[in-house]
Amino acid sequence: MEVTAAMVKELRERTGAGMMQCKKALSESNGDVEKAMEALRKMGLSAVAKRSERTAAEGRIEAYVHAGNKIGVLVEVNCETDFVARTDDFMRLCREIALQVAATCPSWVRVEDVPPETVDATTRKIRERLSGDGIAGEELEKQIARELQRFHEEQVLLQQPNIRDQSRTIGDIVTEAAAKMGENIQIRRFAYIRLGGAA
């Protein structure tokens, strides 16, 4: 099937990928836009993995104060260049992350940030509760793993389902943004403040 300029334009608008990448993906997928989008996504994810070791020292601090001025959030999101930090796409990403933190109040950015003693204590509580319900053996271990996964989805920002699209985690959104912008993007830290809450 012949790849037309209109097809390339549509794919570029939907993915933000370069013109030559779009043309190649469309050629390889015989003009199927959905297949071409999937191919571009896979190409982008492999490139993101290669970029993840590069230094991300630029970026922005996004502030969000919830209606009524009862909740405030600061989020630091890093990228590699000041050029990307000033783009609308990067600013939208930072805003999305700040809204997520305001809505869900996570405790940590990534799974590796969860202290081992917290994981141990949580696992112990789950094990005691399930054992008390008469669950044992392999089924007990499976349920413990499932409940730990739920704990991470509630408490770890990158593991949380996005409040606007539950089919994607915040980690997915950051990875997709890094693929689209062509830079290593990292959420460095956040602060959540509730009026009258603990200091």
Side-chain angles (χ1 to χ4, degrees):
M1 178 179 193
E2 183 188 350
V3 175
T4 66
M7 291 163 69
V8 172
K9 182 176 181 234
E10 179 192 351
L11 188 58
R12 279 195 75 189
E13 286 171 356
R14 289 179 68 178
T15 64
M19 187 176 75
M20 295 311 291
Q21 287 177 309
C22 289
K23 189 171 183 180
K24 182 180 178 197
L26 283 164
S27 296
E28 291 174 357
S29 63
N30 292 321
D32 186 316
V33 174
E34 296 302 321
K35 284 183 183 173
M37 284 177 66
E38 181 63 19
L40 285 170
R41 189 183 71 77
K42 286 178 181 170
M43 282 191 290
L45 293 181
S46 66
V48 167
K50 290 176 190 169
R51 284 193 293 271
S52 66
E53 298 303 313
R54 297 194 322 219
T55 302
E58 293 294 334
R60 66 184 277 125
I61 294 173
E62 183 71 30
Y64 171 73
V65 177
H66 193 61
N69 298 316
K70 305 281 188 188
I71 294 172
V73 169
L74 288 174
V75 177
E76 180 181 348
V77 184
N78 297 132
C79 58
E80 296 175 47
T81 63
D82 186 50
F83 172 78
V84 164
R86 287 183 278 120
T87 63
D88 289 342
D89 284 341
F90 191 79
M91 289 187 220
R92 273 193 294 272
L93 173 67
C94 295
R95 183 74 170 171
E96 189 73 23
I97 293 165
L99 288 170
Q100 180 80 22
V101 172
T104 63
C105 186
S107 299
W108 301 278
V109 174
R110 53 192 61 77
V111 171
E112 304 83 65
D113 298 339
V114 183
E117 56 272 19
T118 301
V119 176
D120 292 344
T122 303
T123 303
R124 192 168 47 253
K125 285 179 189 169
I126 295 168
R127 184 179 299 281
E128 287 169 4
R129 182 172 47 76
L130 293 174
S131 296
D133 291 342
I135 300 166
E138 192 176 316
E139 183 57 31
L140 175 64
E141 298 309 316
K142 283 181 184 174
Q143 286 207 34
I144 289 170
R146 279 195 293 269
E147 292 206 22
L148 270 177
Q149 177 64 31
R150 276 199 293 275
F151 170 78
H152 287 139
E153 287 171 2
E154 290 171 4
Q155 298 297 323
V156 178
L157 179 58
L158 289 171
Q159 302 296 311
Q160 290 183 333
N162 179 265
I163 56 172
R164 296 178 194 270
D165 178 0
Q166 297 281 304
S167 68
R168 297 159 68 216
T169 66
I170 294 301
D172 293 335
I173 289 168
V174 171
T175 301
E176 289 163 15
K180 182 177 181 182
M181 295 179 222
E183 288 200 3
N184 180 16
I185 295 175
Q186 302 286 331
I187 301 172
R188 182 152 185 258
R189 56 189 165 172
F190 63 83
Y192 175 96
I193 303 163
R194 182 188 290 275
L195 187 67

